Amino acid sequence: MLKKGSENNLTTHVLEFDSFPVSFNSLNLFFISDIHRRIISKKLIEQLRNHTDIIIIGGDLIESGVPLERVRQNIKQLKDIAPIAPIYFVFGNNDYEVGKENLEKVLKDCGVVCLNNSSVTLTSNLGENVILLGVEDMSKDRDRLDLALMNSSQGFKILVSHNPDIYEKISNEDQISLILSGHTHGGQIRILGLGMYKKGGLHLLKKAMMLISNGYGTTLVPLRLGAPAEAHFIQLKKKPSE
C-alpha cells in the first residue's frame, strides 16, 4: 500500500469533440491534481517532455505542514515538461491551509497563473478559441462559476474545478465541453472494490464530459489500495465527420 501511494502512473486520454475547433489540429494538456505532500518524480516528467502545450494543476498542490519551498520545487519540475508551456492552477480545499496570499505569491513568482473564478482564452491563427475556465474550491462557497463565465469569449470551453460536485452547478447553456477535477482520490483505499468515493475515471454525462482524477498524492496516510496514483496526458481533437 505504501508503494502504491508513490506510483507515477500517467493515464492517457484521446478525446474527440464535435465542437473542438479544427484550426487547433490538436491540443495536448497535462493535468495533475492532489499533489499534497509529494515531490513530483522525474520519472513522470520524462514521459511528457516536449509533448505538452498546457499544464493544469487541479488543486491541493499543498497542505498544512508542507513548506512553500516544495511548491517551488514542484513547479520547477513541471516546467521541465515544456519550458514554454503555460501553467494554470485552481485552488483546492487544502491549499488554503497555508494561506491563500502566501501560496498565490509563490505561484506568481514561479510564473503560474491562478484561475480564481476567471478564464483565459487561447486563440488559433484562424481566430478560433479554446477557453479555460477555473473556479476556486467549493468549500465555504468560494466558487463563482458565474464570474468565470462572465468575461469568457465564445469557443470550446474547459472547466477546471478541484471538486467534481461543480457539475451540479453547470447548465447546458454554459456550453462547457470538458470538466477536469480531482479531490476524491478515488477513495484512496478501496477494500473489495469499495471506498469512500468512486474510483476516478472519465464520465460522459448529459451536460459535459468529466474527468475525475485519483490524484497524484495522498491525504492523512501515504497509502493507496485499488485507486492508483495518477496524472493525465489529455489530447483534444476534432471528431471526424462520418
Side-chain angles (χ1 to χ4, degrees), residues 11 16 20 47 51 79 94 100 156 164 186 189 237:
T11 305
E16 297 180 337
F20 189 77
Q47 298 178 67
H51 295 291
K79 287 187 174 181
N94 291 117
K100 183 181 178 185
F156 182 88
I189 297 175
K237 303 174 71 174

Side-chain angles (χ1 to χ4, degrees), residues 158-171:
I158 304 167
L159 171 62
V160 187
S161 168
H162 179 66
N163 193 324
D165 287 347
I166 195 69
Y167 180 79
E168 302 303 325
K169 294 190 175 186
I170 73 170
S171 67

Side-chain angles (χ1 to χ4, degrees), residues 92-139:
N93 54 301
N94 291 117
D95 292 310
Y96 299 103
E97 295 172 359
V98 300
K100 183 181 178 185
E101 291 183 358
N102 295 333
L103 181 53
E104 285 179 329
K105 183 180 185 304
V106 171
L107 292 172
K108 183 178 180 181
D109 289 346
C110 293
V112 176
V113 177
C114 295
L115 294 176
N116 293 340
N117 302 317
S118 58
S119 67
V120 293
T121 299
L122 312 173
T123 304
S124 72
N125 292 333
L126 295 182
E128 293 182 304
N129 297 324
V130 171
I131 299 99
L132 187 63
L133 307 158
V135 294
E136 289 201 49
D137 187 67
M138 296 180 68
S139 58

Side-chain angles (χ1 to χ4, degrees), residues 33-161:
S33 71
D34 301 281
I35 296 170
H36 290 281
R37 294 180 171 272
R38 288 191 70 178
I39 296 172
I40 299 173
S41 171
K42 291 183 179 179
K43 291 181 180 179
L44 180 64
I45 301 303
E46 286 297 329
Q47 298 178 67
L48 294 151
R49 197 180 301 277
N50 299 320
H51 295 291
T52 304
D53 301 311
I54 299 173
I55 298 166
I56 301 170
I57 306 169
D60 281 3
L61 172 59
I62 194 172
E63 63 179 44
S64 177
V66 177
L68 285 166
E69 186 56 37
R70 190 167 302 171
V71 171
R72 296 183 188 274
Q73 184 178 359
N74 278 327
I75 297 302
K76 183 179 179 182
Q77 291 284 75
L78 291 176
K79 287 187 174 181
D80 282 344
I81 294 172
I84 63 171
I87 303 177
Y88 299 102
F89 167 85
V90 298
F91 272 87
N93 54 301
N94 291 117
D95 292 310
Y96 299 103
E97 295 172 359
V98 300
K100 183 181 178 185
E101 291 183 358
N102 295 333
L103 181 53
E104 285 179 329
K105 183 180 185 304
V106 171
L107 292 172
K108 183 178 180 181
D109 289 346
C110 293
V112 176
V113 177
C114 295
L115 294 176
N116 293 340
N117 302 317
S118 58
S119 67
V120 293
T121 299
L122 312 173
T123 304
S124 72
N125 292 333
L126 295 182
E128 293 182 304
N129 297 324
V130 171
I131 299 99
L132 187 63
L133 307 158
V135 294
E136 289 201 49
D137 187 67
M138 296 180 68
S139 58
K140 299 184 179 179
D141 296 321
R142 295 182 175 99
D143 60 298
R144 289 290 305 274
L145 179 58
D146 59 320
L147 295 181
L149 287 164
M150 185 180 296
N151 296 315
S152 65
S153 55
Q154 293 295 314
F156 182 88
K157 293 187 178 74
I158 304 167
L159 171 62
V160 187
S161 168

Side-chain angles (χ1 to χ4, degrees), residues 18-38:
D18 291 327
S19 56
F20 189 77
V22 66
S23 58
F24 275 86
N25 188 21
S26 66
L27 188 65
N28 295 334
L29 316 178
F30 175 60
F31 176 63
I32 187 168
S33 71
D34 301 281
I35 296 170
H36 290 281
R37 294 180 171 272
R38 288 191 70 178

